[in-house]
Amino acid sequence: MKKGRKALCASIAAGILLILGIAAVFLYGMQNRYTDIDTKVSPDGRCRITLQMKGEPLGLGSDTFGRIVAEYDGSRILERDVVLQNGGAPMQPGNWSVEWAFGGMRITLKGSGQRDSVTEFLYDGSEFHGYDAFEIEKEMQKRYGDVILSGMEGDWYRCEGENFGFCVEPGLDLRDNYAAEYFRYLTDQFFLSRNRLREFLEEGIGPEKIYVPIIGPGSAWDQEKESFSRDVTDWLAGMLEELPLEENRRLYTRIQIAIGTERYDYEPEIPDTLTEEGKTSVYNRLYRFVDQKLSEYYAEGLKTEQKAEEEAPVIPSKEQVALWMTFEPDCSYRMPDGTWYYMLPVDRALGSSYYVLIALREGEEEPSLVNTDPYLGSGGGAEWISFLEDGRTGFSCLSRGAGTLGVLYRTEDGGKSFTEVEYPSSNALLPDGSYYNPFVMPQKVYEEDGKLYMEAGQGAMGDYYGEQGFCHGLYESADLGKTWQYMGEIPVDRD
């Protein structure tokens, strides 16, 4: 009986030991089994890298073990054990990231209880410790053709191409600023050929450097609004062919427009595909912006004409003034008190006249010199001069380009000083939908029913017909002609 009990106990003990042994083997296998958590594949499909977890975490606060396995062209190149401090949680796809570079990969491990751990590997499985100059030059030639490595510039390598140089960061992905330097070169060449002001504002350093173009007119703004907007639109269209928006969006973030001494930031809204319709939209938006900023610039009195400091003012003699009075005035105005104002051409160059303004009071024989340079150094043809009832506020128009456009000038001290006045575009539409202003020749300024108006014609080359036929533009001012608002069209007979 006793022997039977002993045998039974021995059998039970043996069974328990067997079960414990099997369980231990099973648990050992489970804790040493690798489970795929996530797999990344390189853009060219040649490299495949997998994050694997070893077993399961043992409890709250314990480390999570695993490994990274990589293959290149089907051959295993890397097997690296990893430990993740993740609060005892199992690995998830969010616990890592992979960045692909031309020569290797950058692997970042992320755990809730640790700082991100970054390791870089080449495609042969070895850790990355930098490229030599030959490898860098070879890769740049592969990317951009005939370039040579010329040396170091701070922490970056410098490469030179046929027309410009660029820098290369000697990191795993060999980042460079070739696109930014190419952008600057193409921009400079484009606006140089159009005789436009162009400068560049540099932002960032090394591979992050970009250039913000500062673009201005090639001549006076009154002649440039349409052509400037067209040139900038054509520049953008050409640039997008060389440097597509999708890969180079940061290069097109903004430009600066130079008006006098001011610089205005402009952010072009560029569609992904710049069709002809898209070009018109880009042009019109820029045209409206320039028109608005010009009005603000002139209204705020920012436009100043600076003369050379070494030039002392020349006061004409009475004899000189008397001689000028023998010239035929290009335009004149008679004040209610009988005083005549004469705009006299006293010099001529390259088809343009330069003027003085002289007044002669009724009943007096000796004229008085009012202004030796009423048009602020500009030449052209004086079309007309007039004054308001106050006798001090006046206006005059100087035509340019053989009468194709005119510039409005304003005085508020009886002609002793003038300022150039900008008035807004009517935003008439060309056949392609582009804005322009056909009303480029101020004809007259007049008061009516307590309001101030200006009528602007089309100049010698005007051929715009509105809804009622050939027309002029009507403008109204609420501040005695400092600023103007477009009111609409006035039908007129064409000369």
mmCIF file of all heavy atoms in Angstrom, residues 330-369:
data_model
loop_
_atom_site.group_PDB
_atom_site.id
_atom_site.type_symbol
_atom_site.label_atom_id
_atom_site.label_comp_id
_atom_site.label_asym_id
_atom_site.label_seq_id
_atom_site.Cartn_x
_atom_site.Cartn_y
_atom_site.Cartn_z
ATOM 1 N N ASP A 330 4.995 126.340 -73.495
ATOM 2 C CA ASP A 330 4.291 125.144 -73.963
ATOM 3 C C ASP A 330 2.887 125.084 -73.380
ATOM 4 O O ASP A 330 1.997 124.438 -73.946
ATOM 5 C CB ASP A 330 5.073 123.882 -73.585
ATOM 6 C CG ASP A 330 6.192 123.604 -74.584
ATOM 7 O OD1 ASP A 330 6.348 124.383 -75.544
ATOM 8 O OD2 ASP A 330 6.926 122.610 -74.395
ATOM 9 N N CYS A 331 2.685 125.685 -72.225
ATOM 10 C CA CYS A 331 1.349 125.806 -71.656
ATOM 11 C C CYS A 331 1.336 126.971 -70.672
ATOM 12 O O CYS A 331 2.389 127.406 -70.193
ATOM 13 C CB CYS A 331 0.897 124.510 -70.977
ATOM 14 S SG CYS A 331 1.955 123.958 -69.620
ATOM 15 N N SER A 332 0.170 127.493 -70.379
ATOM 16 C CA SER A 332 0.058 128.644 -69.481
ATOM 17 C C SER A 332 -1.303 128.619 -68.799
ATOM 18 O O SER A 332 -2.210 127.885 -69.211
ATOM 19 C CB SER A 332 0.247 129.952 -70.258
ATOM 20 O OG SER A 332 -0.735 130.065 -71.280
ATOM 21 N N TYR A 333 -1.438 129.453 -67.765
ATOM 22 C CA TYR A 333 -2.699 129.524 -67.036
ATOM 23 C C TYR A 333 -2.866 130.937 -66.493
ATOM 24 O O TYR A 333 -1.929 131.524 -65.941
ATOM 25 C CB TYR A 333 -2.722 128.522 -65.880
ATOM 26 C CG TYR A 333 -4.018 128.510 -65.117
ATOM 27 C CD1 TYR A 333 -5.110 127.801 -65.612
ATOM 28 C CD2 TYR A 333 -4.163 129.214 -63.927
ATOM 29 C CE1 TYR A 333 -6.322 127.781 -64.926
ATOM 30 C CE2 TYR A 333 -5.373 129.196 -63.237
ATOM 31 C CZ TYR A 333 -6.451 128.486 -63.740
ATOM 32 O OH TYR A 333 -7.649 128.482 -63.071
ATOM 33 N N ARG A 334 -4.080 131.478 -66.630
ATOM 34 C CA ARG A 334 -4.375 132.819 -66.136
ATOM 35 C C ARG A 334 -5.219 132.717 -64.882
ATOM 36 O O ARG A 334 -6.307 132.126 -64.883
ATOM 37 C CB ARG A 334 -5.112 133.639 -67.193
ATOM 38 C CG ARG A 334 -5.307 135.116 -66.810
ATOM 39 C CD ARG A 334 -5.988 135.870 -67.934
ATOM 40 N NE ARG A 334 -6.065 137.303 -67.652
ATOM 41 C CZ ARG A 334 -7.045 137.890 -66.968
ATOM 42 N NH1 ARG A 334 -8.031 137.140 -66.482
ATOM 43 N NH2 ARG A 334 -7.031 139.192 -66.758
ATOM 44 N N MET A 335 -4.710 133.290 -63.776
ATOM 45 C CA MET A 335 -5.417 133.282 -62.508
ATOM 46 C C MET A 335 -6.544 134.312 -62.544
ATOM 47 O O MET A 335 -6.540 135.249 -63.360
ATOM 48 C CB MET A 335 -4.452 133.600 -61.368
ATOM 49 C CG MET A 335 -3.287 132.627 -61.256
ATOM 50 S SD MET A 335 -3.787 131.015 -60.604
ATOM 51 C CE MET A 335 -3.870 131.411 -58.859
ATOM 52 N N PRO A 336 -7.536 134.184 -61.652
ATOM 53 C CA PRO A 336 -8.643 135.153 -61.621
ATOM 54 C C PRO A 336 -8.180 136.601 -61.413
ATOM 55 O O PRO A 336 -8.845 137.533 -61.870
ATOM 56 C CB PRO A 336 -9.498 134.671 -60.441
ATOM 57 C CG PRO A 336 -9.244 133.205 -60.383
ATOM 58 C CD PRO A 336 -7.798 133.048 -60.747
ATOM 59 N N ASP A 337 -7.024 136.788 -60.730
ATOM 60 C CA ASP A 337 -6.540 138.150 -60.514
ATOM 61 C C ASP A 337 -5.739 138.683 -61.690
ATOM 62 O O ASP A 337 -5.166 139.773 -61.625
ATOM 63 C CB ASP A 337 -5.702 138.222 -59.235
ATOM 64 C CG ASP A 337 -4.409 137.393 -59.333
ATOM 65 O OD1 ASP A 337 -4.160 136.776 -60.386
ATOM 66 O OD2 ASP A 337 -3.658 137.368 -58.329
ATOM 67 N N GLY A 338 -5.677 137.913 -62.771
ATOM 68 C CA GLY A 338 -4.979 138.365 -63.959
ATOM 69 C C GLY A 338 -3.537 137.920 -64.062
ATOM 70 O O GLY A 338 -2.879 138.175 -65.079
ATOM 71 N N THR A 339 -3.030 137.242 -63.035
ATOM 72 C CA THR A 339 -1.652 136.746 -63.075
ATOM 73 C C THR A 339 -1.551 135.559 -64.023
ATOM 74 O O THR A 339 -2.360 134.637 -63.977
ATOM 75 C CB THR A 339 -1.179 136.318 -61.669
ATOM 76 O OG1 THR A 339 -1.249 137.435 -60.785
ATOM 77 C CG2 THR A 339 0.256 135.806 -61.713
ATOM 78 N N TRP A 340 -0.527 135.594 -64.887
ATOM 79 C CA TRP A 340 -0.271 134.497 -65.826
ATOM 80 C C TRP A 340 0.881 133.619 -65.326
ATOM 81 O O TRP A 340 1.889 134.126 -64.821
ATOM 82 C CB TRP A 340 0.103 135.052 -67.202
ATOM 83 C CG TRP A 340 -1.080 135.471 -68.016
ATOM 84 C CD1 TRP A 340 -1.600 136.726 -68.124
ATOM 85 C CD2 TRP A 340 -1.874 134.626 -68.844
ATOM 86 N NE1 TRP A 340 -2.676 136.753 -68.958
ATOM 87 C CE2 TRP A 340 -2.881 135.442 -69.436
ATOM 88 C CE3 TRP A 340 -1.863 133.272 -69.165
ATOM 89 C CZ2 TRP A 340 -3.840 134.950 -70.297
ATOM 90 C CZ3 TRP A 340 -2.815 132.783 -70.023
ATOM 91 C CH2 TRP A 340 -3.804 133.613 -70.588
ATOM 92 N N TYR A 341 0.677 132.325 -65.454
ATOM 93 C CA TYR A 341 1.741 131.365 -65.166
ATOM 94 C C TYR A 341 2.157 130.742 -66.497
ATOM 95 O O TYR A 341 1.314 130.240 -67.248
ATOM 96 C CB TYR A 341 1.261 130.272 -64.209
ATOM 97 C CG TYR A 341 1.243 130.702 -62.761
ATOM 98 C CD1 TYR A 341 0.183 131.445 -62.252
ATOM 99 C CD2 TYR A 341 2.285 130.383 -61.902
ATOM 100 C CE1 TYR A 341 0.159 131.856 -60.932
ATOM 101 C CE2 TYR A 341 2.276 130.772 -60.566
ATOM 102 C CZ TYR A 341 1.208 131.515 -60.093
ATOM 103 O OH TYR A 341 1.194 131.923 -58.771
ATOM 104 N N TYR A 342 3.468 130.763 -66.753
ATOM 105 C CA TYR A 342 3.994 130.238 -68.015
ATOM 106 C C TYR A 342 4.956 129.072 -67.741
ATOM 107 O O TYR A 342 5.872 129.201 -66.924
ATOM 108 C CB TYR A 342 4.747 131.319 -68.786
ATOM 109 C CG TYR A 342 3.904 132.519 -69.149
ATOM 110 C CD1 TYR A 342 4.018 133.714 -68.431
ATOM 111 C CD2 TYR A 342 3.015 132.473 -70.204
ATOM 112 C CE1 TYR A 342 3.246 134.825 -68.761
ATOM 113 C CE2 TYR A 342 2.245 133.582 -70.553
ATOM 114 C CZ TYR A 342 2.367 134.744 -69.824
ATOM 115 O OH TYR A 342 1.595 135.836 -70.160
ATOM 116 N N MET A 343 4.719 127.948 -68.414
ATOM 117 C CA MET A 343 5.643 126.811 -68.365
ATOM 118 C C MET A 343 6.529 126.925 -69.602
ATOM 119 O O MET A 343 6.111 126.643 -70.723
ATOM 120 C CB MET A 343 4.892 125.484 -68.345
ATOM 121 C CG MET A 343 5.727 124.318 -67.862
ATOM 122 S SD MET A 343 6.193 124.405 -66.111
ATOM 123 C CE MET A 343 4.682 123.891 -65.303
ATOM 124 N N LEU A 344 7.786 127.377 -69.385
ATOM 125 C CA LEU A 344 8.675 127.726 -70.490
ATOM 126 C C LEU A 344 9.755 126.671 -70.686
ATOM 127 O O LEU A 344 10.469 126.314 -69.739
ATOM 128 C CB LEU A 344 9.343 129.074 -70.216
ATOM 129 C CG LEU A 344 8.387 130.275 -70.120
ATOM 130 C CD1 LEU A 344 9.114 131.479 -69.550
ATOM 131 C CD2 LEU A 344 7.811 130.594 -71.494
ATOM 132 N N PRO A 345 9.905 126.147 -71.921
ATOM 133 C CA PRO A 345 10.989 125.185 -72.192
ATOM 134 C C PRO A 345 12.313 125.928 -72.349
ATOM 135 O O PRO A 345 12.470 126.736 -73.267
ATOM 136 C CB PRO A 345 10.549 124.546 -73.510
ATOM 137 C CG PRO A 345 9.725 125.596 -74.189
ATOM 138 C CD PRO A 345 9.052 126.387 -73.095
ATOM 139 N N VAL A 346 13.257 125.659 -71.440
ATOM 140 C CA VAL A 346 14.522 126.391 -71.463
ATOM 141 C C VAL A 346 15.707 125.504 -71.822
ATOM 142 O O VAL A 346 16.830 125.989 -71.962
ATOM 143 C CB VAL A 346 14.774 127.084 -70.107
ATOM 144 C CG1 VAL A 346 13.695 128.112 -69.827
ATOM 145 C CG2 VAL A 346 14.830 126.048 -68.972
ATOM 146 N N ASP A 347 15.473 124.201 -71.960
ATOM 147 C CA ASP A 347 16.545 123.292 -72.343
ATOM 148 C C ASP A 347 15.911 122.107 -73.051
ATOM 149 O O ASP A 347 14.719 121.824 -72.892
ATOM 150 C CB ASP A 347 17.326 122.816 -71.112
ATOM 151 C CG ASP A 347 18.676 122.213 -71.483
ATOM 152 O OD1 ASP A 347 19.023 122.237 -72.690
ATOM 153 O OD2 ASP A 347 19.368 121.709 -70.585
ATOM 154 N N ARG A 348 16.721 121.413 -73.848
ATOM 155 C CA ARG A 348 16.188 120.275 -74.590
ATOM 156 C C ARG A 348 17.285 119.233 -74.764
ATOM 157 O O ARG A 348 18.440 119.569 -75.038
ATOM 158 C CB ARG A 348 15.659 120.720 -75.951
ATOM 159 C CG ARG A 348 14.829 119.665 -76.661
ATOM 160 C CD ARG A 348 14.018 120.266 -77.782
ATOM 161 N NE ARG A 348 13.249 119.253 -78.505
ATOM 162 C CZ ARG A 348 12.089 118.755 -78.099
ATOM 163 N NH1 ARG A 348 11.558 119.179 -76.963
ATOM 164 N NH2 ARG A 348 11.448 117.838 -78.814
ATOM 165 N N ALA A 349 16.928 117.970 -74.582
ATOM 166 C CA ALA A 349 17.882 116.877 -74.746
ATOM 167 C C ALA A 349 17.136 115.609 -75.107
ATOM 168 O O ALA A 349 16.109 115.276 -74.490
ATOM 169 C CB ALA A 349 18.688 116.672 -73.464
ATOM 170 N N LEU A 350 17.628 114.913 -76.109
ATOM 171 C CA LEU A 350 17.077 113.619 -76.522
ATOM 172 C C LEU A 350 15.571 113.690 -76.750
ATOM 173 O O LEU A 350 14.816 112.785 -76.385
ATOM 174 C CB LEU A 350 17.407 112.544 -75.479
ATOM 175 C CG LEU A 350 18.898 112.294 -75.216
ATOM 176 C CD1 LEU A 350 19.072 111.293 -74.088
ATOM 177 C CD2 LEU A 350 19.589 111.819 -76.482
ATOM 178 N N GLY A 351 15.130 114.775 -77.360
ATOM 179 C CA GLY A 351 13.723 114.903 -77.700
ATOM 180 C C GLY A 351 12.834 115.364 -76.571
ATOM 181 O O GLY A 351 11.616 115.458 -76.747
ATOM 182 N N SER A 352 13.392 115.650 -75.394
ATOM 183 C CA SER A 352 12.608 116.078 -74.240
ATOM 184 C C SER A 352 12.953 117.517 -73.875
ATOM 185 O O SER A 352 14.106 117.942 -74.000
ATOM 186 C CB SER A 352 12.863 115.175 -73.036
ATOM 187 O OG SER A 352 12.406 113.867 -73.282
ATOM 188 N N SER A 353 11.954 118.248 -73.412
ATOM 189 C CA SER A 353 12.162 119.621 -72.962
ATOM 190 C C SER A 353 12.217 119.662 -71.440
ATOM 191 O O SER A 353 11.602 118.843 -70.752
ATOM 192 C CB SER A 353 11.028 120.520 -73.471
ATOM 193 O OG SER A 353 11.020 120.593 -74.883
ATOM 194 N N TYR A 354 12.943 120.657 -70.929
ATOM 195 C CA TYR A 354 13.066 120.888 -69.493
ATOM 196 C C TYR A 354 12.618 122.316 -69.216
ATOM 197 O O TYR A 354 12.929 123.234 -69.980
ATOM 198 C CB TYR A 354 14.496 120.635 -69.033
ATOM 199 C CG TYR A 354 14.905 119.188 -69.223
ATOM 200 C CD1 TYR A 354 15.353 118.728 -70.459
ATOM 201 C CD2 TYR A 354 14.782 118.275 -68.186
ATOM 202 C CE1 TYR A 354 15.696 117.397 -70.658
ATOM 203 C CE2 TYR A 354 15.118 116.938 -68.363
ATOM 204 C CZ TYR A 354 15.568 116.504 -69.606
ATOM 205 O OH TYR A 354 15.893 115.188 -69.790
ATOM 206 N N TYR A 355 11.910 122.500 -68.115
ATOM 207 C CA TYR A 355 11.103 123.703 -67.951
ATOM 208 C C TYR A 355 11.455 124.523 -66.716
ATOM 209 O O TYR A 355 12.026 124.010 -65.738
ATOM 210 C CB TYR A 355 9.623 123.316 -67.878
ATOM 211 C CG TYR A 355 9.099 122.711 -69.147
ATOM 212 C CD1 TYR A 355 9.238 121.338 -69.394
ATOM 213 C CD2 TYR A 355 8.482 123.488 -70.110
ATOM 214 C CE1 TYR A 355 8.770 120.771 -70.563
ATOM 215 C CE2 TYR A 355 8.005 122.933 -71.295
ATOM 216 C CZ TYR A 355 8.152 121.575 -71.514
ATOM 217 O OH TYR A 355 7.692 121.017 -72.680
ATOM 218 N N VAL A 356 11.034 125.804 -66.790
ATOM 219 C CA VAL A 356 10.946 126.675 -65.630
ATOM 220 C C VAL A 356 9.522 127.222 -65.599
ATOM 221 O O VAL A 356 8.835 127.289 -66.634
ATOM 222 C CB VAL A 356 11.964 127.838 -65.684
ATOM 223 C CG1 VAL A 356 13.384 127.318 -65.670
ATOM 224 C CG2 VAL A 356 11.715 128.731 -66.885
ATOM 225 N N LEU A 357 9.078 127.575 -64.403
ATOM 226 C CA LEU A 357 7.754 128.165 -64.238
ATOM 227 C C LEU A 357 7.918 129.625 -63.843
ATOM 228 O O LEU A 357 8.575 129.942 -62.849
ATOM 229 C CB LEU A 357 6.966 127.408 -63.167
ATOM 230 C CG LEU A 357 5.541 127.911 -62.879
ATOM 231 C CD1 LEU A 357 4.672 127.821 -64.133
ATOM 232 C CD2 LEU A 357 4.922 127.140 -61.725
ATOM 233 N N ILE A 358 7.350 130.524 -64.626
ATOM 234 C CA ILE A 358 7.478 131.963 -64.407
ATOM 235 C C ILE A 358 6.087 132.574 -64.333
ATOM 236 O O ILE A 358 5.173 132.183 -65.075
ATOM 237 C CB ILE A 358 8.304 132.624 -65.537
ATOM 238 C CG1 ILE A 358 9.770 132.165 -65.445
ATOM 239 C CG2 ILE A 358 8.231 134.138 -65.471
ATOM 240 C CD1 ILE A 358 10.663 132.726 -66.523
ATOM 241 N N ALA A 359 5.903 133.536 -63.412
ATOM 242 C CA ALA A 359 4.627 134.226 -63.244
ATOM 243 C C ALA A 359 4.774 135.697 -63.627
ATOM 244 O O ALA A 359 5.826 136.320 -63.388
ATOM 245 C CB ALA A 359 4.143 134.100 -61.811
ATOM 246 N N LEU A 360 3.723 136.228 -64.188
ATOM 247 C CA LEU A 360 3.712 137.664 -64.548
ATOM 248 C C LEU A 360 2.374 138.234 -64.097
ATOM 249 O O LEU A 360 1.314 137.867 -64.590
ATOM 250 C CB LEU A 360 3.882 137.842 -66.061
ATOM 251 C CG LEU A 360 3.897 139.293 -66.561
ATOM 252 C CD1 LEU A 360 5.077 140.064 -65.951
ATOM 253 C CD2 LEU A 360 3.957 139.329 -68.079
ATOM 254 N N ARG A 361 2.458 139.153 -63.115
ATOM 255 C CA ARG A 361 1.250 139.767 -62.589
ATOM 256 C C ARG A 361 0.690 140.784 -63.573
ATOM 257 O O ARG A 361 1.448 141.457 -64.288
ATOM 258 C CB ARG A 361 1.531 140.434 -61.243
ATOM 259 C CG ARG A 361 1.899 139.468 -60.140
ATOM 260 C CD ARG A 361 2.104 140.175 -58.816
ATOM 261 N NE ARG A 361 2.427 139.229 -57.753
ATOM 262 C CZ ARG A 361 1.529 138.525 -57.061
ATOM 263 N NH1 ARG A 361 0.237 138.673 -57.333
ATOM 264 N NH2 ARG A 361 1.900 137.690 -56.124
ATOM 265 N N GLU A 362 -0.618 140.909 -63.562
ATOM 266 C CA GLU A 362 -1.275 141.865 -64.451
ATOM 267 C C GLU A 362 -0.853 143.289 -64.102
ATOM 268 O O GLU A 362 -0.832 143.687 -62.932
ATOM 269 C CB GLU A 362 -2.797 141.736 -64.340
ATOM 270 C CG GLU A 362 -3.556 142.571 -65.352
ATOM 271 C CD GLU A 362 -5.049 142.320 -65.294
ATOM 272 O OE1 GLU A 362 -5.545 141.950 -64.207
ATOM 273 O OE2 GLU A 362 -5.715 142.488 -66.312
ATOM 274 N N GLY A 363 -0.479 144.022 -65.102
ATOM 275 C CA GLY A 363 -0.070 145.410 -64.905
ATOM 276 C C GLY A 363 1.399 145.570 -64.577
ATOM 277 O O GLY A 363 1.878 146.701 -64.459
ATOM 278 N N GLU A 364 2.138 144.468 -64.409
ATOM 279 C CA GLU A 364 3.565 144.560 -64.118
ATOM 280 C C GLU A 364 4.368 144.124 -65.335
ATOM 281 O O GLU A 364 3.915 143.278 -66.118
ATOM 282 C CB GLU A 364 3.921 143.680 -62.904
ATOM 283 C CG GLU A 364 3.273 144.126 -61.606
ATOM 284 C CD GLU A 364 3.712 143.269 -60.425
ATOM 285 O OE1 GLU A 364 4.559 142.364 -60.635
ATOM 286 O OE2 GLU A 364 3.226 143.504 -59.292
ATOM 287 N N GLU A 365 5.536 144.689 -65.478
ATOM 288 C CA GLU A 365 6.388 144.346 -66.610
ATOM 289 C C GLU A 365 7.468 143.327 -66.256
ATOM 290 O O GLU A 365 7.974 142.634 -67.127
ATOM 291 C CB GLU A 365 7.057 145.615 -67.165
ATOM 292 C CG GLU A 365 6.078 146.614 -67.746
ATOM 293 C CD GLU A 365 6.781 147.815 -68.352
ATOM 294 O OE1 GLU A 365 8.043 147.852 -68.273
ATOM 295 O OE2 GLU A 365 6.091 148.688 -68.905
ATOM 296 N N GLU A 366 7.813 143.276 -64.978
ATOM 297 C CA GLU A 366 8.903 142.376 -64.561
ATOM 298 C C GLU A 366 8.345 141.044 -64.089
ATOM 299 O O GLU A 366 7.587 140.998 -63.118
ATOM 300 C CB GLU A 366 9.724 143.018 -63.453
ATOM 301 C CG GLU A 366 10.968 142.209 -63.093
ATOM 302 C CD GLU A 366 11.847 142.942 -62.098
ATOM 303 O OE1 GLU A 366 12.059 144.149 -62.255
ATOM 304 O OE2 GLU A 366 12.306 142.294 -61.149
ATOM 305 N N PRO A 367 8.685 139.942 -64.768
ATOM 306 C CA PRO A 367 8.193 138.623 -64.354
ATOM 307 C C PRO A 367 8.908 138.147 -63.088
ATOM 308 O O PRO A 367 9.992 138.637 -62.735
ATOM 309 C CB PRO A 367 8.541 137.738 -65.543
ATOM 310 C CG PRO A 367 9.744 138.379 -66.150
ATOM 311 C CD PRO A 367 9.572 139.869 -65.947
ATOM 312 N N SER A 368 8.327 137.174 -62.408
ATOM 313 C CA SER A 368 8.954 136.579 -61.221
ATOM 314 C C SER A 368 9.149 135.083 -61.464
ATOM 315 O O SER A 368 8.261 134.399 -61.989
ATOM 316 C CB SER A 368 8.093 136.800 -59.977
ATOM 317 O OG SER A 368 6.809 136.228 -60.141
ATOM 318 N N LEU A 369 10.315 134.610 -61.099
ATOM 319 C CA LEU A 369 10.622 133.188 -61.254
ATOM 320 C C LEU A 369 9.966 132.413 -60.122
ATOM 321 O O LEU A 369 10.214 132.672 -58.949
ATOM 322 C CB LEU A 369 12.139 132.977 -61.235
ATOM 323 C CG LEU A 369 12.626 131.531 -61.382
ATOM 324 C CD1 LEU A 369 12.245 130.963 -62.738
ATOM 325 C CD2 LEU A 369 14.132 131.467 -61.177
#
